Structures are given as structure tokens and as C-alpha cells.
């Protein structure tokens, strides 16, 4: 059975919230709720917000004209209406649009003999400015969200396990396709795996940190060219006792998170990806991408996902460390004995 991903390759999280009873909490932060909506719903709300306010105030202008008797004295030049050239609901609706959008064609204009109209004009101007600020701000934030910047941050399709300086390491590659850089970029990795505690409690999708250089500062990236992120499998790693055979049987997911600030806008950007157990290649290494040309370095992204097999022990990191310790002990005791013989 294929494992259900917790995080998709493109960074989308496969988590849906159900049976949420406190839905009023979404309305307490209506701005974020509107920003999080899909584009078709955002555009629908955007259109409805303007259309309903225009219709509402247009209806009030028509009621004022009707109650004052302006509609009954349309041809009477001696009568001073509240709004000149307002002869029905359609013209009242158009005057409402002109007032709220400050278009002002000049054909329909309010007179100074209508105090209720002056109050309504001030009210509509203030409320219209608030609606404009809210809706335009919502659209601007939605357009300028840094999510699209994450589309040009790429992760290798596979992670690999191989030796680095005689130590087993789990590695994956990250890269930035744009010339504008990600400032203060940092990388994190999480192991997602269900487990059962000693007390018998079952914890689904438990999250464990995978160290990618937090203690040494190597998790802070200067992402100008593609980088290989390495997790050293030591005694603190959850893969300390995992061999090649066990890796092929295990059921887990590694979620990697790249965060940074977009240089062009100053907004924080986050890109995510994940690797299932069958996407971790034991005994492979990434091929180099960087070459030196005349006056610059060139990155060949055509081989970004390419790996090559390399000799790698199939045992776990614990067994490899124990074998190295035995070898060092043998050398320690054999050197004095050879000196005694000499």
C-alpha cells in the first residue's frame, strides 16, 4: 500500500480540518480569511462588496428623492430637487456609483437645499473610502503573497544516503532558479513517523527534528548556487539504527522546509517538500552542477536531480561506528606489540 503523504512534493499539506464548531473565529480575523480564500471566491466577494454598497446607497438616494417629491416635479424648473437630474432608480444608482468612486461626471449633482442628502453624501464618502481601502488592500496582499516565489525554489526529487568523511549522512539538494536571492535563508527537516510509547500510547504522525546544522550554523544558507544539505546520522539521529534493509521496509516521511526573505519585496517566503522511504536512495551521491567558465561560475540545472551509485556499507550507522571503534582499538594494541618485537 502506497503511503499517504503528509506534505506533497510541491509543498501542499494534505491536512483537512473537519468538525470545526468554533467557526466564529474565522470572522474575528476577516481580513486573513478573505486573503486565504481561493481567487474565484475573493473576486466574487470583491464584486459583491461594491455592487451591494452601490445598490444600497442608490436605493437610499431614490427614497430621498421620492419622499421629497422630486420625482413628481421632474419638468418643473421652479422646483429645487435634492439631486439635479435624478429621475428614477437607475439614475439614483448611477449617482451612487459616481459618489462612491468620486467619478463626478457633473450631470447629476447634489443641491444645498437637501440637508439629509448632504449627510448621506458624507456617510457614503466615508464608508466608500473604507470599503475601497479594505478590498484593495485585500487584493494587494493576495497578489503580493510570496507563495509564488517558492515556485522557483526547487528540491531534489530524491534524498540519498552515503558516506561523507567516513560517516553516514542523509542528503538532499536545494536550489534557487532566480537571480534575485533569498536573504537569511534557513533550512529545517522533520521526520514524520507514527510511533508507540513505552506506556502503549500510539502517536500518529509524530514529528522529530533532523539536525541539518543548527548547532554549527550550517542551517543558514547562502543560496546563490545549489547546495547539498547533509544530516549526519549519529547517535542523536533517529536513523542511528537503520540499515539499508530496514530503510526499504520502514514507513516514514521526511519533510524539508526552506525559509527566507525575498530580496525584492522583503517578505518572508517558505518552500516545502517531502521524501517518502522509497524516495531515499541508499548508496547514492549527487552529481556536481557547478563549472568554472571565463569570468563566472555556471550551474547546469539539467542534472539537478541526478545521482550516481557509490560504494556504501549496508549496515547501520551504529554498526559502522562499532566496527570503526574495534579497528581503532586493534591498531592501538597492535602498535606497542610490534615495537616490543623490534
Amino acid at each position: 500500500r502506497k503511503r499517504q503523504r503528509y506534505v506533497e512534493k510541491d509543498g501542499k499539506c494534505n491536512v483537512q480540518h473537519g468538525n470545526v464548531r468554533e467557526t466564529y473565529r474565522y470572522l474575528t480575523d476577516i481580513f486573513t480569511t478573505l486573503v486565504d480564500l481561493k481567487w474565484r471566491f475573493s473576486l466574487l466577494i470583491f464584486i459583491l462588496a461594491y455592487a451591494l454598497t452601490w445598490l444600497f446607497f442608490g436605493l437610499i438616494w431614490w427614497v430621498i428623492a421620492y419622499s421629497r417629491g422630486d420625482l413628481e416635479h421632474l419638468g418643473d424648473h421652479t422646483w429645487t430637487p435634492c439631486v439635479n437630474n435624478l429621475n428614477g432608480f437607475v439614475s439614483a444608482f448611477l449617482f451612487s456609483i459616481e459618489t462612491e468612486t468620486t467619478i463626478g461626471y457633473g450631470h447629476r449633482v447634489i443641491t444645498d437645499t437637501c440637508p439629509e442628502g448632504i449627510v448621506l453624501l458624507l456617510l457614503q464618502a466615508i464608508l466608500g473610502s473604507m470599503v475601497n481601502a479594505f478590498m484593495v488592500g485585500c487584493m494587494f496582499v493576495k497578489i503580493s503573497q510570496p507563495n509564488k516565489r517558492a515556485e522557483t525554489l526547487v528540491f531534489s526529487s530524491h534524498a540519498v544516503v552515503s558516506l561523507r568523511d567516513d560517516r553516514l549522512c542523509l542528503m538532499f539538494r536545494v536550489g534557487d532558479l532566480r537571480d534575485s536571492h533569498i536573504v537569511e535563508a534557513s533550512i529545517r527537516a522533520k521526520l514524520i513517523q507514527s510511533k508507540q510509547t513505552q506506556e502503549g500510547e500510539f502517536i500518529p504522525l509524530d514529528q522529530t527534528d533532523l539536525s541539518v546544522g543548527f548547532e554549527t550554523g550550517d542551517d543558514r544558507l547562502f543560496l546563490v548556487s545549489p547546495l547539498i544539505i547533509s544530516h549526519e546520522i549519529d547517535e542523536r539521529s533517529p536513523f542511528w539504527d537503520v540499515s539499508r534493509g530496514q530503510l526499504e521496509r520502514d514507513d516514514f516521511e521526511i519533510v524539508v522546509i526552506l525559509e527566507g526573505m525575498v530580496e525584492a519585496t522583503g517578505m518572508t517566503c517558505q518552500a516545502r517538500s517531502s521524501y517518502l522511504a522509497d524516495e531515499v536512495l541508499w548508496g547514492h551521491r549527487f552529481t556536481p552542477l557547478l563549472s568554472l567558465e571565463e569570468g563566472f561560475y555556471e550551474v547546469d540545472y539539467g542534472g539537478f536531480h541526478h545521482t550516481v551509485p557509490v560504494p556504501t556499507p549496508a549496515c547501520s550507522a551504529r554498526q559502522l561506528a562499532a566496527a570503526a571503534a574495534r579497528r581503532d582499538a586493534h591498531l592501538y594494541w597492535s602498535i606497542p606489540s610490534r615495537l616490543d618485537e623490534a
Side-chain angles (χ1 to χ4, degrees), residues 164-325:
R164 261 194 175 186
D165 297 327
D166 285 337
R167 296 178 182 272
L168 276 179
C169 295
L170 172 71
M171 294 170 284
F172 57 92
R173 182 146 59 187
V174 298
D176 188 2
L177 301 180
R178 287 190 180 274
D179 293 332
S180 60
H181 307 311
I182 296 294
V183 183
E184 294 292 331
S186 62
I187 191 75
R188 291 181 293 151
K190 293 277 189 180
L191 175 66
I192 309 296
Q193 188 177 29
S194 300
K195 74 171 187 178
Q196 189 169 6
T197 64
Q198 297 179 0
E199 294 78 14
E201 179 188 5
F202 178 74
I203 304 178
L205 301 179
D206 181 59
Q207 300 184 13
T208 305
D209 275 323
L210 297 179
S211 176
V212 288
F214 177 77
E215 297 84 359
T216 60
D218 292 337
D219 62 325
R220 314 296 292 184
L221 307 180
F222 183 48
L223 197 58
V224 177
S225 61
L227 299 175
I228 297 177
I229 310 302
S230 176
H231 163 67
E232 182 179 331
I233 304 178
D234 53 15
E235 59 274 5
R236 296 173 298 175
S237 172
F239 296 106
W240 177 241
D241 294 313
V242 176
S243 63
R244 179 173 185 172
Q246 184 178 354
L247 180 70
E248 297 173 351
R249 298 189 302 269
D250 270 353
D251 185 15
F252 63 84
E253 183 175 354
I254 300 173
V255 177
V256 293
I257 305 168
L258 175 63
E259 289 181 326
M261 189 168 57
V262 181
E263 186 179 36
T265 62
M267 302 182 70
T268 302
C269 172
Q270 184 182 96
R272 299 180 294 266
S273 186
S274 69
Y275 303 98
L276 297 179
D278 56 358
E279 294 172 343
V280 179
L281 305 179
W282 190 286
H284 280 69
R285 181 184 299 162
F286 289 106
T287 57
L289 302 179
L290 203 62
S291 62
L292 178 60
E293 303 296 334
E294 292 188 7
F296 63 92
Y297 292 94
E298 183 178 2
V299 179
D300 181 15
Y301 278 97
F304 184 83
H305 304 285
H306 293 175
T307 62
V308 293
V310 292
T312 304
C315 61
S316 65
R318 178 191 290 273
Q319 296 170 335
L320 187 64

Side-chain angles (χ1 to χ4, degrees), residues 8-20:
E8 293 287 349
K9 279 292 191 181
D10 58 359
K12 180 182 178 182
C13 298
N14 281 329
V15 177
Q16 295 185 3
H17 301 283
N19 198 22
V20 180

Side-chain angles (χ1 to χ4, degrees), residues 31-43 135-148 267:
F31 186 81
T32 305
T33 301
L34 292 177
V35 172
D36 290 340
L37 288 176
K38 294 182 179 180
W39 266 108
R40 55 179 177 269
F41 298 117
S42 297
L43 292 176
M135 299 307 300
V136 173
C138 179
M139 291 293 106
F140 175 77
V141 171
K142 195 171 182 63
I143 291 173
S144 61
Q145 277 184 318
N147 297 344
K148 295 303 180 181
M267 302 182 70

Side-chain angles (χ1 to χ4, degrees), residues 102-123:
T102 65
I103 294 176
Y105 290 114
H107 182 65
R108 280 173 290 270
V109 60
I110 190 171
T111 61
D112 56 358
T113 60
C114 182
E116 62 271 25
I118 296 174
V119 173
L120 181 61
L121 179 67
L122 295 175
L123 181 62

Side-chain angles (χ1 to χ4, degrees), residues 323-339:
R326 288 194 300 268
R327 183 177 65 251
D328 294 340
H330 175 71
L331 291 175
Y332 176 79
W333 291 107
S334 63
I335 291 175
S337 61
R338 291 178 182 177
L339 290 176

